[in-house]
Amino acid sequence: MSDNKKLVYFLCTGNSCRSQMADGWLKALGNDRYEVQSAGLEAHGLNPRAVQVMKEVGVDISGHTSDVIDPEILNRADYVITLCGHADEHCPVISNKNVVKWHWGFDDPAKATGTEEEIMNHFRAVRDAIKARLERFLTEDR
């Protein structure tokens, strides 16, 4: 890990879907520029559907762990990005005054209902929306 890399910390409620996908995408798209971590207010375990839809686009998150927010990482992050309203509202206090905190809200694909194909399509839509938002971030953060 290089000390000049900016630390991006993705947060959501359970660290099972959205923050895991964002973590995987940023590692795939910009890992040479960033240290990437993700966590949740709780650890719900890695969602197998999130792993599957990321694998479809060549990003392997199967080795990720579902982690609870670490205050030490939180307070040394350059960017703290919440991906759901619940995490945004309940994010612990950050003592680092230089942190950039953003909220990028995405629907929780784990709450999707319907046939397996409809649920998987919802996961894919969220995956693609997160990628698009991260591509914009990478373009803007020069």
Side-chain angles (χ1 to χ4, degrees):
M1 178 180 79
S2 168
D3 288 338
N4 61 357
K5 284 187 181 182
K6 292 180 181 174
L7 171 57
V8 179
Y9 205 21
F10 291 110
L11 306 178
C12 66
T13 302
N15 193 216
S16 65
C17 296
R18 291 164 288 186
S19 55
Q20 294 286 356
M21 289 192 272
D23 183 321
W25 273 129
L26 189 55
K27 283 177 178 161
L29 300 170
N31 198 34
D32 53 330
R33 292 166 48 193
Y34 301 96
E35 178 188 351
V36 184
Q37 301 273 341
S38 66
L41 298 170
E42 304 157 4
H44 291 174
L46 189 56
N47 186 299
R49 289 182 176 123
V51 173
Q52 185 180 336
V53 298
M54 292 301 285
K55 188 176 187 177
E56 291 172 0
V57 293
V59 179
D60 182 8
I61 63 169
S62 63
H64 287 197
T65 57
S66 180
D67 301 309
V68 174
I69 296 169
D70 180 327
E72 190 271 327
I73 297 172
L74 184 70
N75 286 307
R76 70 178 176 86
D78 296 286
Y79 295 98
V80 172
I81 301 171
T82 55
L83 301 167
C84 69
H86 185 257
D88 185 40
E89 293 160 19
H90 296 91
C91 182
V93 173
I94 304 168
S95 60
N96 174 3
K97 299 299 179 216
N98 297 317
V99 70
V100 176
K101 184 176 180 294
W102 284 322
H103 174 62
W104 301 346
F106 295 99
D107 290 340
D108 185 355
K111 289 192 164 71
T113 57
T115 65
E116 183 61 21
E117 186 60 25
E118 289 167 336
I119 293 169
M120 290 302 292
N121 284 336
H122 192 72
F123 269 82
R124 290 179 187 110
V126 172
R127 172 200 68 199
D128 296 345
I130 291 171
K131 180 185 183 192
R133 184 62 189 89
L134 277 168
E135 286 173 334
R136 202 164 89 225
F137 166 75
L138 288 167
T139 302
E140 293 165 354
D141 187 51
R142 294 262 174 229

